[in-house]
Amino acid sequence: MSEQIESLLQKTQHTKDELIRLLSVQSAHETQLVLDKGLEVKAAHPGRKVYLRGLIELSNVCSKNCYYCGIRAVNIKVERYTLSTEEVLNAAHFSWQQGFGSLVIQTGEQKSTRFTSQISSLLQEIHKHTNNELTITLSCGEQSQETYKEWRQAGADRYLLRIETTNKELFYQIHPHDKNHDFDQRMNALADLKHAGFQVGTGVMIGLPNQTIADLADDLLFFRSLDVDMVGMGPYIEHADTPLFSSAHLLWSPSERFRMGLIMIALLRINMPWINIAASTALETLDPLGRQKGILAGANVVMPNLTPVSNRRNYQLYDNKPNLDKDASLSTKTLNEVVSSIGETICLHESGNSLHYLKRTGLF
Ligand code: 5AD
Ligand code: SF4
């Protein structure tokens, strides 16, 4: 049996059936074969390097009600906050000084023109205060094409918008079925982002209630067909104050969701060798060595959290999110040690652009 897996792993592009076969490996030995191949392909392409992005959770105000997310609009237990410009600039400055090279600004989805302009001026301020040496990724949800263009012009380089699942039926099991949560609109937003000239990232959650191996294979094929530059994906983790919590009995065990998270990273690396793949915080939530294991399966991006510690408990998308009380410098120091201990190098003072993006735009 392992011979069949080994021979499938020689391929650089997999069909849906092949992906299903590879996603179905069960034994520790076959799982390791898949993960080792992810690392081998990473070593031969972007190399055994890890890029850091300082993560700023700018605001937990959100107009949406995704059934899985702890900061959904109707969760009154969450104290809503928006960081001040000064707090953001401090975090950006810290990132710059530490040599992270890049920032991610994440928020709940807000659509007011006040919010749009706030992001634009923040982008400009950050560039001004960091000598234009940071690349900035936004993760602020679905917006109009005009807004995407405005933010791109104001200095955002990359955009992350997860499709969450490419199975439309499953999408509507984890979101309300209304005009605020529309599958086709989300797909269109990804096209708009590309059109606006962003390096585009998307992603999915792994191990959702009722999600199948075939769904995960479709997700991988979707990333390839959209020709994405970056992917952030991780295991689904239940949150007690959300509607999806009532389906917790349908879930794979946490260790199985974790294992599938690693296998997804490895298979994606094999099929899209040049893209940036993040080792998600959700992996670290399920296993204290989650980030390292993600990197060793093929991920090359880590996002240390720079959100002020006092705000972090209010940005809990899922239960048991780690590092709620650690300050950024401590996390950074730890990350440095951790990454070198597994034979990888942290790249400081580099933007860490997706090589896939540079290739598709003729810059590499
Ligand atoms: N478990 C795992 N990931 C989650 N996200 C939101 N809620 C959860 C959860 N309960 C992810 C979604 C979203 C990103 C910001 O966080 O994929 O796009
Ligand atoms: Fe809002 Fe994003 Fe959470 Fe959905 S996943 S409720 S859009 S913060």
Side-chain angles (χ1 to χ4, degrees):
M1 283 305 272
S2 292
E3 293 82 66
Q4 191 202 3
I5 296 299
E6 277 170 37
S7 100
L8 280 180
L9 288 172
Q10 295 308 316
K11 296 187 152 195
T12 54
Q13 299 269 289
H14 295 112
T15 63
K16 181 168 176 182
D17 284 346
E18 290 167 345
L19 287 171
I20 289 176
R21 177 69 191 93
L22 289 165
L23 285 162
S24 305
V25 297
Q26 290 289 337
S27 69
H29 172 65
E30 289 190 347
T31 301
Q32 201 55 48
L33 287 177
V34 177
L35 304 187
D36 287 350
K37 191 64 177 186
L39 181 59
E40 186 188 316
V41 173
K42 175 187 157 180
H45 293 82
R48 295 201 59 181
K49 298 182 215 155
V50 175
Y51 294 99
L52 300 180
R53 281 81 170 92
L55 172 65
I56 302 174
E57 291 155 337
L58 170 67
S59 173
N60 65 356
V61 177
C62 185
S63 59
K64 283 196 160 174
N65 273 306
C66 307
Y67 292 151
Y68 45 84
C69 176
I71 65 167
R72 59 203 301 269
V74 298
N75 186 0
I76 52 165
K77 290 194 190 164
V78 174
E79 215 176 289
R80 304 289 161 175
Y81 73 84
T82 299
L83 300 182
S84 67
T85 303
E86 194 190 349
E87 285 171 314
V88 175
L89 290 179
N90 282 342
H93 203 261
F94 175 85
S95 221
W96 182 49
Q97 273 184 332
Q98 296 285 311
F100 284 9
S102 187
L103 269 189
V104 177
I105 298 177
Q106 192 175 71
T107 63
E109 196 169 299
Q110 302 171 47
K111 287 203 165 88
S112 66
T113 47
R114 188 164 159 266
F115 175 73
T116 309
S117 325
Q118 186 200 356
I119 296 286
S120 293
S121 53
L122 263 182
L123 289 165
Q124 285 154 352
E125 287 287 308
I126 292 171
H127 284 309
K128 204 163 75 194
H129 282 78
T130 56
N131 205 24
N132 275 315
E133 286 172 7
L134 288 179
T135 46
I136 305 179
T137 305
L138 292 180
S139 178
C140 307
E142 284 167 52
Q143 304 287 342
S144 69
Q145 181 144 192
E146 292 65 45
T147 300
Y148 287 150
K149 283 187 183 147
E150 177 185 325
W151 288 346
R152 178 80 184 100
Q153 275 187 346
D157 306 278
R158 313 182 181 129
Y159 205 101
L160 292 170
L161 182 71
R162 291 187 178 183
I163 190 70
E164 314 296 0
T165 172
T166 55
N167 177 334
K168 199 167 174 172
E169 204 179 307
L170 182 58
F171 184 92
Y172 288 121
Q173 287 175 25
I174 64 169
H175 298 99
H177 198 154
D178 61 23
K179 65 173 176 19
N180 222 358
H181 306 77
D182 186 281
F183 181 80
D184 298 320
Q185 212 166 288
R186 202 159 181 88
M187 282 287 183
N188 290 340
L190 284 166
D192 289 346
L193 284 166
K194 233 179 182 180
H195 197 239
F198 283 102
Q199 290 176 51
V200 178
T202 189
V204 293
M205 285 179 286
I206 298 157
L208 289 161
N210 296 324
Q211 192 177 37
T212 65
I213 293 287
D215 291 333
L216 294 175
D218 281 333
D219 293 342
L220 290 169
L221 293 174
F222 169 73
F223 300 149
R224 216 167 62 193
S225 69
L226 193 68
D227 202 23
V228 288
D229 304 304
M230 327 177 280
V231 169
M233 59 184 173
Y236 162 68
I237 301 169
E238 57 275 41
H239 187 298
D241 300 322
T242 60
L244 210 59
F245 193 71
S246 62
S247 303
H249 61 284
L250 297 173
L251 295 173
W252 298 335
S253 70
S255 62
E256 183 59 3
R257 275 176 269 159
F258 179 78
R259 190 183 71 95
M260 291 307 292
L262 295 183
I263 291 180
M264 284 288 282
I265 289 177
L267 292 178
L268 179 60
R269 175 59 70 201
I270 297 166
N271 279 269
M272 300 192 76
W274 296 105
I275 66 169
N276 279 345
I277 305 177
S280 68
T281 315
L283 279 177
E284 198 185 353
T285 307
L286 293 186
D287 182 321
L289 298 178
R291 273 182 170 164
Q292 292 95 302
K293 292 182 183 174
I295 292 167
L296 290 174
N300 66 335
V301 169
V302 167
M303 304 199 285
N305 195 341
L306 301 185
T307 308
V309 172
S310 58
N311 297 103
R312 286 190 203 176
R313 72 188 163 81
N314 284 315
Y315 209 95
Q316 291 215 63
L317 307 181
Y318 42 81
D319 288 334
N320 305 319
K321 196 173 153 200
N323 300 332
L324 284 188
D325 52 1
K326 283 192 207 160
D327 74 15
S329 57
L330 182 67
S331 303
T332 313
K333 186 168 167 285
T334 314
L335 273 168
N336 226 322
E337 289 165 6
V338 159
V339 167
S340 14
S341 76
I342 55 170
E344 304 262 329
T345 309
I346 285 199
C347 298
L348 296 177
H349 304 285
E350 284 185 53
S351 66
N353 281 319
S354 158
L355 296 175
H356 184 88
Y357 170 80
L358 298 181
K359 277 171 163 292
R360 83 174 163 83
T361 51
L363 294 168
F364 175 72

